[in-house]
Every structure is written in structure tokens, then in C-alpha cells.
Amino acid sequence: AMTNALKHSNAENVIFDVEESERYLTVNLIDDGRGGVSHLSQGIGITGMKKRARKIGSILEISSKSSGTGVKLTIPLYKYDK
């Protein structure tokens, strides 16, 4: 997601945020670039990101307006009793 923001968005700012709760680790990346990412225009990079997220049991969400794009990865945390 960071590579896509740097290469394609023409953003001036990119915010990277990580939050942890008892059940999830959430990674957010938001840029103020040109936006406009649609489900029809997803290239190899976004398709690969979604495949890798599914492979580790995570959810990848992408939202994009005419200005700016947000990527949110929600990773379940599995804690095992020893």
C-alpha cells in the first residue's frame, strides 16, 4: 500500500497508523493523493495485496474518493493458552 501511494497517488502526505485491540491488529494507510481507485481499475499490486491478506486470514479494505485513498488491513490476533 505504501508503494502504491508513493508511486501512483501523487500524494503530499501519507499517514501510517497501527492500532492493537484484544482481538485485532489494524493497520491503516491514508494518503491525500489523486484517489479514484475503483474495483475496475485494480492492478496487479492491489490484487496481490488482497491475496496476501486472505492468505493470513485478514481483511483488506480499500476506500478511495476523487482525492485520497485509504487502505485498512485488519489482522486477527490468535492468543493461545500455554
Coordinates of all heavy atoms in Angstrom, one line a residue:
A1 N 0.8 -1.2 0.0 CA 0.0 0.0 0.0 C 0.9 1.3 0.0 O 0.6 2.2 -0.7 CB -0.9 0.0 1.2
M2 N 1.9 1.2 0.8 CA 2.8 2.4 0.8 C 3.5 2.6 -0.6 O 3.6 3.7 -1.1 CB 3.9 2.2 1.9 CG 4.9 3.3 2.0 SD 4.1 4.9 2.6 CE 4.1 4.5 4.4
T3 N 3.9 1.5 -1.2 CA 4.5 1.6 -2.5 C 3.5 2.2 -3.5 O 3.8 3.1 -4.3 CB 5.0 0.2 -3.0 OG1 6.0 -0.2 -2.1 CG2 5.5 0.3 -4.4
N4 N 2.2 1.8 -3.5 CA 1.2 2.3 -4.4 C 1.0 3.8 -4.1 O 0.9 4.6 -5.0 CB -0.1 1.6 -4.2 CG -0.1 0.2 -4.8 OD1 0.8 -0.2 -5.6 ND2 -1.1 -0.6 -4.5
A5 N 1.0 4.2 -2.9 CA 0.8 5.6 -2.5 C 1.9 6.4 -3.1 O 1.7 7.5 -3.6 CB 0.6 5.8 -1.0
L6 N 3.2 6.0 -2.9 CA 4.3 6.7 -3.3 C 4.5 6.8 -4.9 O 4.8 7.8 -5.4 CB 5.6 6.1 -2.7 CG 5.7 6.2 -1.2 CD1 6.9 5.5 -0.7 CD2 5.7 7.7 -0.7
K7 N 4.1 5.7 -5.5 CA 4.3 5.6 -7.0 C 3.2 6.2 -7.8 O 3.4 6.8 -8.8 CB 4.5 4.1 -7.4 CG 5.8 3.5 -7.2 CD 5.8 2.1 -7.8 CE 7.2 1.5 -7.7 NZ 7.2 0.2 -8.4
H8 N 2.0 6.1 -7.3 CA 0.8 6.3 -8.2 C -0.1 7.5 -7.7 O -0.9 8.0 -8.5 CB 0.0 5.1 -8.3 CG 0.7 3.9 -8.8 ND1 1.3 3.8 -10.0 CD2 1.0 2.7 -8.2 CE1 1.9 2.6 -10.2 NE2 1.8 2.0 -9.1
S9 N 0.0 7.9 -6.5 CA -1.1 8.8 -6.0 C -0.7 10.3 -6.1 O -1.6 11.1 -6.0 CB -1.4 8.5 -4.5 OG -0.4 9.0 -3.7
N10 N 0.5 10.6 -6.3 CA 1.0 12.0 -6.3 C 0.6 12.7 -4.9 O 0.3 13.9 -4.9 CB 0.4 12.8 -7.4 CG 0.9 12.3 -8.8 OD1 2.1 11.9 -8.9 ND2 0.1 12.3 -9.8
A11 N 0.6 11.9 -3.9 CA 0.3 12.4 -2.6 C 1.4 13.3 -2.0 O 2.6 13.1 -2.2 CB 0.0 11.3 -1.6
E12 N 1.0 14.3 -1.2 CA 1.9 15.1 -0.5 C 2.1 14.5 0.9 O 3.2 14.7 1.5 CB 1.4 16.6 -0.4 CG 1.5 17.3 -1.7 CD 1.1 18.7 -1.6 OE1 1.3 19.3 -0.5 OE2 0.7 19.3 -2.6
N13 N 1.1 13.9 1.4 CA 1.1 13.3 2.8 C 0.6 11.9 2.8 O -0.4 11.6 2.1 CB 0.3 14.1 3.7 CG 0.8 15.6 3.8 OD1 1.8 15.8 4.4 ND2 0.0 16.5 3.3
V14 N 1.2 11.0 3.6 CA 0.7 9.7 3.8 C 0.8 9.4 5.3 O 1.8 9.7 6.0 CB 1.6 8.6 3.1 CG1 1.1 7.2 3.3 CG2 1.7 8.9 1.6
I15 N -0.3 9.0 5.8 CA -0.4 8.7 7.3 C -0.5 7.2 7.4 O -1.3 6.5 6.8 CB -1.7 9.3 7.9 CG1 -1.7 10.8 7.7 CG2 -1.9 8.9 9.3 CD1 -3.0 11.5 8.1
F16 N 0.4 6.7 8.3 CA 0.5 5.3 8.6 C 0.2 5.1 10.1 O 0.8 5.8 10.9 CB 1.9 4.8 8.3 CG 2.1 3.3 8.5 CD1 1.7 2.4 7.6 CD2 2.8 2.9 9.7 CE1 1.9 1.0 7.9 CE2 3.0 1.5 9.9 CZ 2.5 0.6 9.0
D17 N -0.8 4.3 10.4 CA -1.2 4.1 11.8 C -1.4 2.6 12.1 O -2.0 1.9 11.2 CB -2.5 4.9 11.9 CG -3.1 4.8 13.3 OD1 -2.4 5.1 14.3 OD2 -4.3 4.3 13.4
V18 N -1.0 2.2 13.3 CA -1.2 0.8 13.7 C -1.9 0.9 15.0 O -1.5 1.6 15.9 CB 0.1 0.1 13.8 CG1 -0.1 -1.3 14.3 CG2 0.9 0.1 12.5
E19 N -3.0 0.1 15.1 CA -3.8 0.0 16.4 C -3.9 -1.4 16.8 O -4.1 -2.3 16.0 CB -5.2 0.6 16.2 CG -5.2 2.0 15.8 CD -6.6 2.5 15.4 OE1 -7.6 1.9 15.8 OE2 -6.7 3.5 14.7
E20 N -3.8 -1.7 18.1 CA -4.0 -3.1 18.6 C -5.1 -3.1 19.6 O -5.2 -2.2 20.5 CB -2.7 -3.5 19.3 CG -2.8 -5.0 19.7 CD -1.5 -5.5 20.4 OE1 -0.6 -4.7 20.6 OE2 -1.4 -6.7 20.7
S21 N -6.0 -4.1 19.4 CA -7.0 -4.3 20.4 C -6.8 -5.7 20.9 O -5.8 -6.4 20.6 CB -8.4 -4.2 19.8 OG -8.7 -5.2 18.9
E22 N -7.7 -6.2 21.8 CA -7.5 -7.6 22.3 C -7.6 -8.6 21.2 O -7.0 -9.6 21.3 CB -8.6 -7.8 23.4 CG -8.4 -9.1 24.1 CD -9.3 -9.2 25.3 OE1 -9.5 -8.2 26.0 OE2 -9.9 -10.3 25.5
R23 N -8.4 -8.3 20.2 CA -8.7 -9.4 19.2 C -8.0 -9.1 17.8 O -7.9 -10.0 17.0 CB -10.2 -9.5 19.0 CG -10.8 -10.0 20.2 CD -12.3 -10.1 20.1 NE -12.6 -11.1 19.1 CZ -13.8 -11.3 18.5 NH1 -14.8 -10.4 18.7 NH2 -14.0 -12.2 17.5
Y24 N -7.7 -7.8 17.5 CA -7.2 -7.5 16.2 C -6.0 -6.5 16.2 O -5.9 -5.7 17.1 CB -8.3 -6.8 15.4 CG -9.5 -7.6 15.2 CD1 -10.7 -7.4 16.0 CD2 -9.6 -8.6 14.2 CE1 -11.8 -8.2 15.9 CE2 -10.7 -9.4 14.1 CZ -11.8 -9.2 14.9 OH -12.9 -10.0 14.7
L25 N -5.2 -6.6 15.2 CA -4.2 -5.6 14.9 C -4.7 -4.9 13.6 O -5.0 -5.6 12.6 CB -2.9 -6.2 14.6 CG -1.7 -5.3 14.3 CD1 -1.4 -4.5 15.5 CD2 -0.5 -6.1 13.8
T26 N -4.8 -3.6 13.6 CA -5.4 -2.9 12.5 C -4.3 -1.9 12.0 O -3.7 -1.1 12.7 CB -6.6 -2.1 12.8 OG1 -7.6 -3.0 13.4 CG2 -7.2 -1.4 11.6
V27 N -4.0 -2.0 10.7 CA -3.0 -1.2 10.0 C -3.8 -0.3 9.0 O -4.5 -0.8 8.2 CB -1.9 -2.0 9.3 CG1 -0.9 -1.1 8.6 CG2 -1.3 -3.0 10.3
N28 N -3.6 1.0 9.2 CA -4.3 2.0 8.3 C -3.2 2.8 7.5 O -2.2 3.2 8.1 CB -5.1 3.0 9.1 CG -6.3 2.3 9.7 OD1 -7.2 1.8 9.1 ND2 -6.3 2.2 11.1
L29 N -3.5 3.0 6.3 CA -2.6 3.9 5.5 C -3.6 4.8 4.7 O -4.5 4.4 4.0 CB -1.8 3.1 4.5 CG -0.7 3.9 3.8 CD1 0.6 3.2 3.8 CD2 -1.1 4.2 2.4
I30 N -3.4 6.1 4.9 CA -4.3 7.1 4.2 C -3.4 8.1 3.5 O -2.4 8.7 4.1 CB -5.1 7.8 5.3 CG1 -6.0 6.8 6.0 CG2 -6.0 8.9 4.6 CD1 -6.7 7.4 7.3
D31 N -3.7 8.4 2.2 CA -2.9 9.4 1.5 C -3.9 10.5 1.0 O -5.1 10.3 1.0 CB -2.1 8.8 0.4 CG -2.9 8.3 -0.8 OD1 -3.8 9.1 -1.3 OD2 -2.8 7.2 -1.3
D32 N -3.3 11.6 0.7 CA -4.1 12.8 0.2 C -3.8 13.0 -1.3 O -3.9 14.1 -1.8 CB -3.8 14.0 1.0 CG -2.3 14.5 0.8 OD1 -1.5 13.8 0.2 OD2 -2.0 15.6 1.3
G33 N -3.6 11.9 -2.0 CA -3.3 12.0 -3.4 C -4.5 12.0 -4.3 O -5.6 12.4 -3.8
R34 N -4.3 11.7 -5.5 CA -5.4 11.9 -6.5 C -6.6 10.9 -6.4 O -7.6 11.2 -6.9 CB -4.8 11.8 -7.9 CG -4.3 10.4 -8.3 CD -3.7 10.4 -9.6 NE -3.1 9.0 -9.8 CZ -2.8 8.5 -11.0 NH1 -3.1 9.2 -12.0 NH2 -2.3 7.3 -11.1
G35 N -6.5 9.8 -5.7 CA -7.6 8.9 -5.4 C -8.1 8.3 -6.7 O -7.4 8.2 -7.7
G36 N -9.4 7.9 -6.7 CA -10.0 7.4 -7.9 C -9.8 5.9 -8.1 O -10.1 5.4 -9.1
V37 N -9.3 5.2 -7.1 CA -9.1 3.8 -7.2 C -10.5 3.1 -7.2 O -11.3 3.3 -6.3 CB -8.3 3.2 -6.0 CG1 -8.2 1.7 -6.1 CG2 -6.9 3.8 -6.0
S38 N -10.8 2.3 -8.2 CA -12.1 1.6 -8.3 C -11.8 0.2 -8.4 O -10.7 -0.3 -8.6 CB -12.9 2.1 -9.5 OG -12.4 1.6 -10.7
H39 N -12.9 -0.6 -8.1 CA -12.7 -2.1 -8.2 C -12.4 -2.5 -9.6 O -11.8 -3.5 -9.9 CB -14.0 -2.7 -7.7 CG -14.3 -2.5 -6.3 ND1 -13.5 -3.0 -5.3 CD2 -15.2 -1.7 -5.7 CE1 -14.0 -2.6 -4.1 NE2 -15.0 -1.8 -4.3
L40 N -12.7 -1.7 -10.6 CA -12.4 -2.0 -12.0 C -11.0 -1.7 -12.4 O -10.5 -2.3 -13.3 CB -13.4 -1.2 -13.0 CG -14.9 -1.5 -12.7 CD1 -15.7 -0.6 -13.6 CD2 -15.2 -3.0 -13.0
S41 N -10.4 -0.8 -11.7 CA -9.0 -0.3 -12.1 C -7.9 -1.0 -11.2 O -6.8 -0.5 -11.2 CB -8.9 1.2 -12.0 OG -9.0 1.6 -10.7
Q42 N -8.3 -2.0 -10.5 CA -7.3 -2.6 -9.6 C -6.3 -3.4 -10.4 O -6.6 -4.3 -11.2 CB -8.0 -3.5 -8.6 CG -8.8 -2.7 -7.6 CD -9.5 -3.5 -6.6 OE1 -9.2 -4.7 -6.4 NE2 -10.4 -2.9 -5.8
G43 N -5.0 -3.1 -10.3 CA -4.0 -3.7 -11.0 C -3.4 -4.9 -10.2 O -4.0 -5.4 -9.2
I44 N -2.3 -5.3 -10.6 CA -1.6 -6.5 -10.0 C -1.3 -6.2 -8.6 O -1.4 -7.1 -7.7 CB -0.3 -6.9 -10.8 CG1 -0.7 -7.3 -12.2 CG2 0.5 -7.9 -10.1 CD1 0.4 -7.5 -13.2
G45 N -0.9 -5.0 -8.2 CA -0.5 -4.7 -6.9 C -1.6 -4.8 -5.9 O -1.4 -5.5 -4.8
I46 N -2.8 -4.3 -6.2 CA -3.9 -4.4 -5.2 C -4.4 -5.8 -5.2 O -4.7 -6.3 -4.1 CB -5.0 -3.4 -5.7 CG1 -4.5 -2.0 -5.4 CG2 -6.3 -3.7 -4.9 CD1 -5.5 -0.9 -5.9
T47 N -4.5 -6.5 -6.3 CA -4.9 -7.9 -6.4 C -4.0 -8.7 -5.5 O -4.4 -9.6 -4.7 CB -4.9 -8.4 -7.8 OG1 -5.8 -7.6 -8.6 CG2 -5.4 -9.8 -7.9
G48 N -2.7 -8.5 -5.6 CA -1.7 -9.2 -4.8 C -1.9 -8.9 -3.3 O -1.7 -9.8 -2.5
M49 N -2.1 -7.7 -3.0 CA -2.3 -7.3 -1.6 C -3.5 -8.1 -1.0 O -3.5 -8.6 0.1 CB -2.6 -5.8 -1.4 CG -1.3 -5.0 -1.6 SD -1.5 -3.2 -1.8 CE -2.9 -2.8 -0.8
K50 N -4.6 -8.1 -1.8 CA -5.8 -8.9 -1.3 C -5.6 -10.3 -1.1 O -6.0 -11.0 -0.2 CB -7.0 -8.6 -2.3 CG -7.5 -7.2 -2.2 CD -8.7 -7.0 -3.0 CE -9.4 -5.7 -2.8 NZ -10.6 -5.5 -3.5
K51 N -4.8 -10.9 -2.1 CA -4.5 -12.4 -1.9 C -3.6 -12.6 -0.7 O -3.9 -13.6 0.0 CB -3.7 -12.8 -3.2 CG -4.6 -13.1 -4.4 CD -3.7 -13.6 -5.5 CE -4.6 -13.8 -6.8 NZ -3.8 -14.2 -7.9
R52 N -2.6 -11.8 -0.4 CA -1.8 -12.0 0.7 C -2.6 -11.8 2.0 O -2.4 -12.5 3.0 CB -0.6 -11.0 0.7 CG 0.4 -11.4 -0.4 CD 1.7 -10.6 -0.3 NE 1.5 -9.2 -0.5 CZ 1.5 -8.6 -1.7 NH1 1.6 -9.3 -2.8 NH2 1.4 -7.3 -1.8
A53 N -3.5 -10.8 2.0 CA -4.3 -10.6 3.2 C -5.2 -11.9 3.5 O -5.3 -12.3 4.6 CB -5.2 -9.4 3.0
R54 N -5.8 -12.4 2.5 CA -6.7 -13.6 2.6 C -5.8 -14.8 3.1 O -6.3 -15.6 4.0 CB -7.3 -14.0 1.3 CG -8.6 -13.2 1.0 CD -9.4 -13.8 -0.1 NE -8.7 -13.9 -1.3 CZ -8.5 -13.0 -2.3 NH1 -9.1 -11.9 -2.1 NH2 -7.9 -13.3 -3.4
K55 N -4.6 -14.9 2.6 CA -3.7 -16.0 3.0 C -3.4 -16.0 4.5 O -3.2 -17.1 5.0 CB -2.4 -15.9 2.2 CG -1.6 -17.1 2.2 CD -0.4 -17.0 1.2 CE 0.3 -18.3 1.1 NZ 1.4 -18.2 0.1
I56 N -3.4 -14.9 5.1 CA -3.1 -14.8 6.6 C -4.4 -14.6 7.4 O -4.4 -14.3 8.6 CB -2.1 -13.8 6.9 CG1 -2.5 -12.4 6.6 CG2 -0.7 -14.1 6.3 CD1 -1.6 -11.3 7.1
G57 N -5.6 -14.8 6.7 CA -6.9 -14.7 7.4 C -7.2 -13.3 7.8 O -7.9 -13.1 8.8
S58 N -6.8 -12.3 7.0 CA -7.0 -10.9 7.3 C -8.0 -10.3 6.3 O -8.4 -10.9 5.3 CB -5.7 -10.1 7.2 OG -4.8 -10.6 8.1
I59 N -8.5 -9.1 6.7 CA -9.4 -8.4 5.8 C -8.7 -7.1 5.3 O -8.2 -6.4 6.1 CB -10.7 -8.0 6.6 CG1 -11.4 -9.3 7.1 CG2 -11.6 -7.2 5.7 CD1 -12.5 -9.0 8.1
L60 N -8.8 -6.9 4.0 CA -8.2 -5.7 3.4 C -9.3 -4.9 2.8 O -10.1 -5.4 2.0 CB -7.2 -6.1 2.3 CG -6.5 -4.9 1.6 CD1 -5.5 -4.2 2.5 CD2 -5.9 -5.3 0.3
E61 N -9.4 -3.6 3.2 CA -10.4 -2.7 2.7 C -9.7 -1.5 2.1 O -8.8 -1.0 2.7 CB -11.3 -2.2 3.9 CG -12.0 -3.4 4.6 CD -12.7 -2.9 5.9 OE1 -13.8 -2.3 5.7 OE2 -12.1 -3.0 6.9
I62 N -10.2 -1.2 0.9 CA -9.7 0.0 0.2 C -10.8 1.0 -0.1 O -11.9 0.6 -0.6 CB -9.0 -0.4 -1.1 CG1 -7.9 -1.4 -0.8 CG2 -8.5 0.8 -1.9 CD1 -7.2 -2.0 -2.0
S63 N -10.7 2.2 0.3 CA -11.7 3.2 0.0 C -10.9 4.4 -0.7 O -9.8 4.7 -0.4 CB -12.3 3.7 1.3 OG -11.4 4.3 2.2
S64 N -11.6 4.9 -1.7 CA -11.0 6.0 -2.5 C -12.1 6.9 -3.0 O -13.1 6.5 -3.5 CB -10.2 5.3 -3.7 OG -9.5 6.3 -4.3
K65 N -11.8 8.2 -2.8 CA -12.6 9.2 -3.4 C -11.9 9.9 -4.5 O -10.8 9.5 -4.9 CB -13.0 10.2 -2.2 CG -13.7 9.6 -1.1 CD -13.9 10.6 0.0 CE -14.6 9.8 1.2 NZ -14.7 10.7 2.3
S66 N -12.4 11.0 -5.0 CA -11.7 11.7 -6.0 C -10.4 12.3 -5.6 O -9.5 12.5 -6.3 CB -12.6 12.9 -6.6 OG -12.9 13.8 -5.5
S67 N -10.2 12.5 -4.2 CA -9.0 12.9 -3.6 C -8.7 12.0 -2.4 O -9.4 12.0 -1.5 CB -9.1 14.4 -3.2 OG -7.9 14.8 -2.6
G68 N -7.6 11.3 -2.5 CA -7.2 10.4 -1.4 C -7.7 9.0 -1.4 O -8.7 8.7 -2.0
T69 N -6.9 8.1 -0.8 CA -7.2 6.7 -0.8 C -6.8 6.2 0.6 O -5.8 6.6 1.2 CB -6.3 5.9 -1.8 OG1 -6.7 6.4 -3.1 CG2 -6.6 4.4 -1.7
G70 N -7.6 5.3 1.2 CA -7.4 4.7 2.5 C -7.3 3.2 2.3 O -8.1 2.6 1.6
V71 N -6.3 2.6 3.0 CA -6.2 1.2 3.0 C -6.2 0.7 4.4 O -5.4 1.2 5.2 CB -4.9 0.7 2.3 CG1 -4.7 -0.8 2.3 CG2 -4.8 1.2 0.8
K72 N -7.0 -0.2 4.7 CA -7.1 -0.8 6.1 C -7.0 -2.3 6.1 O -7.7 -3.0 5.4 CB -8.5 -0.4 6.7 CG -8.7 -0.9 8.1 CD -10.1 -0.5 8.6 CE -10.4 -1.0 10.0 NZ -11.8 -0.6 10.4
L73 N -6.0 -2.8 6.9 CA -5.8 -4.2 7.0 C -6.1 -4.6 8.4 O -5.5 -4.0 9.4 CB -4.3 -4.5 6.7 CG -3.9 -6.0 6.8 CD1 -4.6 -6.9 5.8 CD2 -2.4 -6.1 6.7
T74 N -7.0 -5.5 8.6 CA -7.4 -6.0 9.9 C -6.9 -7.4 10.0 O -7.4 -8.3 9.3 CB -9.0 -5.9 10.1 OG1 -9.4 -4.6 9.8 CG2 -9.4 -6.3 11.5
I75 N -6.1 -7.6 11.0 CA -5.4 -8.9 11.2 C -5.9 -9.5 12.6 O -5.7 -8.9 13.6 CB -3.9 -8.8 11.3 CG1 -3.4 -8.1 10.0 CG2 -3.2 -10.1 11.5 CD1 -2.0 -7.5 10.1
P76 N -6.6 -10.7 12.5 CA -7.0 -11.3 13.8 C -5.8 -11.7 14.6 O -4.8 -12.3 14.1 CB -7.9 -12.4 13.4 CG -7.5 -12.7 12.0 CD -6.9 -11.5 11.4
L77 N -5.8 -11.5 15.9 CA -4.8 -11.9 16.8 C -5.2 -13.2 17.5 O -6.2 -13.2 18.2 CB -4.4 -10.9 17.8 CG -3.9 -9.5 17.3 CD1 -3.8 -8.5 18.4 CD2 -2.6 -9.7 16.6
Y78 N -4.5 -14.3 17.3 CA -4.8 -15.5 18.0 C -3.9 -15.7 19.1 O -2.7 -15.8 19.0 CB -4.6 -16.7 17.0 CG -5.5 -16.5 15.7 CD1 -5.0 -16.1 14.5 CD2 -6.9 -16.8 15.8 CE1 -5.8 -16.0 13.4 CE2 -7.7 -16.6 14.7 CZ -7.1 -16.3 13.5 OH -7.9 -16.1 12.4
K79 N -4.5 -15.8 20.3 CA -3.7 -16.0 21.5 C -4.0 -17.3 22.1 O -5.2 -17.7 22.2 CB -4.0 -14.9 22.5 CG -3.6 -13.5 22.0 CD -3.8 -12.4 23.0 CE -3.4 -11.1 22.4 NZ -3.5 -10.0 23.3
Y80 N -3.0 -18.1 22.3 CA -3.2 -19.4 22.8 C -2.7 -19.6 24.2 O -1.8 -19.0 24.7 CB -2.3 -20.4 21.9 CG -2.7 -20.3 20.5 CD1 -1.9 -19.6 19.6 CD2 -3.8 -21.1 20.0 CE1 -2.2 -19.5 18.2 CE2 -4.1 -21.0 18.7 CZ -3.3 -20.3 17.8 OH -3.7 -20.2 16.5
D81 N -3.5 -20.3 25.0 CA -3.1 -20.6 26.4 C -2.0 -21.7 26.4 O -2.0 -22.6 25.6 CB -4.3 -21.2 27.2 CG -5.4 -20.2 27.4 OD1 -5.0 -19.0 27.4 OD2 -6.5 -20.6 27.4
K82 N -1.0 -21.4 27.2 CA 0.1 -22.4 27.3 C -0.1 -23.4 28.4 O -0.8 -23.3 29.3 CB 1.4 -21.6 27.6 CG 1.8 -20.8 26.4 CD 3.1 -20.1 26.7 CE 3.5 -19.2 25.5 NZ 4.7 -18.6 25.7

